[in-house]
Amino acid sequence: MAHILKTLNSWFWWENIWMPVNVTWAHFVDRDGLVFPKPHQLYATIPYAFVLLIIRFFSERYVAIPLAKALGIKNVRRVKPQPNPVLESYFRECSKHPSQSEIQGLAKKCNCTVRLVEKWFRRRRNLEIPTTMLLMIIIGKPWFYDIWQTWVGYPFQTLLPSQYWYYMAEISFYWSLLFTLGIDNKRKDFLAHVVHHLAAIGLMSGSWCGNYVRLGTLVMFVHDTADFWLEAAKMFNYARWEKTCNMLFIIFSIAFFITRIILFPFWILRATLYQPTYYSTTPVIAYFLFNGQLLILQGLHLYWGYLIFKILRRFIFLKVSNFASAERYVKYQTDANTSNIFTQNFLLFS
């Protein structure tokens, strides 16, 4: 067994996977003022994740809850539905929003009234809703303005302290999310969250080990730019500040389309797909691994962008009162017509 693990380890760290021709791990020793990222430094993200969990605990208890009360957000008591294996199985495996004919069929199967089945599903859906009480690192760098600078001097690019802490914070954050999946409200897309968090950790850790740090920080920056506005919109939706929520969602939508539909493919992917071939005629294996994941990510961007567009279209052209109502309609339609697990992974207004 030890021999197998040793062989797998040697294969994983084979230089031809990670770095250009005639470059070995021995070249990544700090020297002459140059500091390089080291794989063993990633172990520090585990204790950092627990630090974030402690911060989250105290901020939720002593900041978030008092702020929620000040904003008039009430923690509504939710009534649990009566245990019913038939309805629970249908809820988990088929649909959270059964049609009228399906409700009638379930009522006959359970020997109860249609009204009771409707009430059961309404209460069961409410349990899935989480309780409502609960860049200077990039902008100052030359590769932010000139994407070609991400490859100048590669792979012997020194690691800056700001880049170190940016990576540590991001990876630790995803570890903390992974650690709390078991105690947070469990959703239909639980497995999607696990896969997403592991993929994010893997992609960031891989770019760290291969010293693709400059590009890695740009990828993280592009994604972090829009997420803040969505979370802010959710918060004000819970506070029932509809105009503020609507404005924040508009800002989020604009930021999303600019960063993930325009900048990511035409700025980031251009730098990862085309520019490496300019500096080297023999791309390493990591070139295909990382770009494959980034292309999959872009596919998700297009899908999520489609959902956001549907919400905007319903709000603007069909005169829905607010984005929260428009999102609920889109999520209902999507849930009724597809089993795609990414729907609730991104837009969770209701």
Side-chain angles (χ1 to χ4, degrees):
M1 186 64 181
H3 176 71
I4 294 175
L5 292 176
K6 186 176 180 180
T7 302
L8 292 175
N9 183 68
S10 63
W11 286 352
F12 183 81
W13 296 112
W14 184 35
E15 283 91 348
N16 288 3
I17 294 178
W18 298 95
M19 53 196 64
V21 179
N22 299 324
V23 178
T24 67
W25 293 112
H27 290 96
F28 286 87
V29 177
D30 297 349
R31 64 184 187 281
D32 302 326
L34 295 176
V35 179
F36 300 105
K38 301 169 185 62
H40 69 82
Q41 291 173 319
L42 295 175
Y43 291 129
T45 60
I46 303 297
Y48 288 156
F50 286 103
V51 172
L52 290 179
L53 290 176
I54 294 172
I55 294 173
R56 171 183 169 179
F57 172 80
F58 283 101
S59 63
E60 285 181 354
R61 175 162 294 189
Y62 298 108
V63 179
I65 293 178
L67 180 61
K69 290 180 179 178
L71 292 173
I73 301 175
K74 296 180 180 180
N75 195 21
V76 180
R77 178 177 175 269
R78 291 171 184 141
V79 180
K80 288 186 177 181
Q82 292 293 324
N84 189 311
V86 175
L87 298 181
E88 183 67 27
S89 175
Y90 192 90
F91 181 88
R92 290 182 175 277
E93 299 174 7
C94 299
S95 175
K96 297 180 180 180
H97 300 271
S99 64
Q100 195 61 33
S101 60
E102 290 169 335
I103 289 176
Q104 292 173 356
L106 289 169
K108 291 180 180 179
K109 193 172 183 180
C110 297
N111 195 25
C112 61
T113 65
V114 169
R115 180 179 173 80
L116 285 176
V117 174
E118 291 174 341
K119 183 184 292 186
W120 190 96
F121 272 92
R122 183 167 60 252
R123 289 179 174 178
R124 185 62 180 85
R125 284 194 297 268
N126 287 338
L127 292 181
E128 298 286 295
I129 303 174
T131 176
T132 56
M133 296 188 64
L134 280 180
L135 290 202
M136 295 302 294
I137 295 173
I138 302 295
I139 295 177
K141 305 301 182 290
W143 48 89
F144 180 79
Y145 304 98
D146 181 9
I147 197 71
W148 286 91
Q149 292 292 325
T150 56
W151 294 105
V152 173
Y154 180 82
F156 305 113
Q157 299 169 340
T158 190
L159 176 68
L160 303 176
S162 58
Q163 294 172 326
Y164 170 86
W165 287 111
Y166 194 12
Y167 260 82
M168 293 298 109
E170 287 280 339
I171 298 175
S172 300
F173 173 71
Y174 278 102
W175 276 124
S176 69
L177 293 180
L178 201 60
F179 294 155
T180 56
L181 279 177
I183 59 176
D184 287 337
N185 288 337
K186 193 168 183 179
R187 297 182 175 278
K188 179 181 177 181
D189 57 350
F190 173 83
L191 181 59
H193 278 87
V194 174
V195 173
H196 174 269
H197 298 341
L198 288 175
I201 292 170
L203 193 56
M204 288 186 286
S205 300
S207 67
W208 175 269
C209 295
N211 200 18
Y212 301 106
V213 172
R214 292 184 179 180
L215 271 172
T217 53
L218 292 180
V219 172
M220 292 188 290
F221 175 77
V222 164
H223 287 79
D224 292 341
T225 301
D227 291 344
F228 165 81
W229 300 105
L230 178 59
E231 298 303 323
K234 290 182 189 178
M235 183 179 69
F236 283 101
N237 176 57
Y238 293 145
R240 305 199 182 283
W241 293 19
E242 288 189 1
K243 291 183 179 180
T244 305
C245 171
N246 293 346
M247 182 57 65
L248 288 171
F249 192 87
I250 290 174
I251 295 174
F252 159 73
S253 302
I254 294 172
F256 181 91
F257 282 107
I258 290 176
T259 57
R260 304 196 192 186
I261 306 300
I262 298 176
L263 288 182
F264 188 81
F266 297 106
W267 188 46
I268 300 295
L269 288 182
R270 178 173 176 267
T272 63
L273 289 168
Y274 167 67
Q275 291 178 2
T277 62
Y278 179 84
Y279 287 101
S280 175
T281 56
T282 55
V284 295
I285 297 175
Y287 168 87
F288 301 99
L289 297 177
F290 289 139
N291 278 302
Q293 294 179 73
L294 291 174
L295 288 171
I296 292 173
L297 187 59
Q298 180 57 24
L300 292 176
H301 291 166
L302 294 174
Y303 171 72
W304 289 329
Y306 166 72
L307 292 181
I308 295 171
F309 176 75
K310 287 179 69 175
I311 295 172
L312 291 172
R313 183 183 63 180
R314 181 163 177 80
F315 177 80
I316 295 172
F317 296 106
L318 300 181
K319 306 299 182 183
V320 176
S321 59
N322 55 62
F323 282 112
S325 300
E327 190 275 334
R328 278 194 292 269
Y329 171 81
V330 171
K331 188 164 66 174
Y332 172 81
Q333 291 296 99
T334 306
D335 186 62
N337 294 290
T338 180
S339 59
N340 196 302
I341 59 178
F342 291 103
T343 305
Q344 296 178 355
N345 190 36
F346 187 66
L347 298 169
L348 297 171
F349 269 93
S350 57

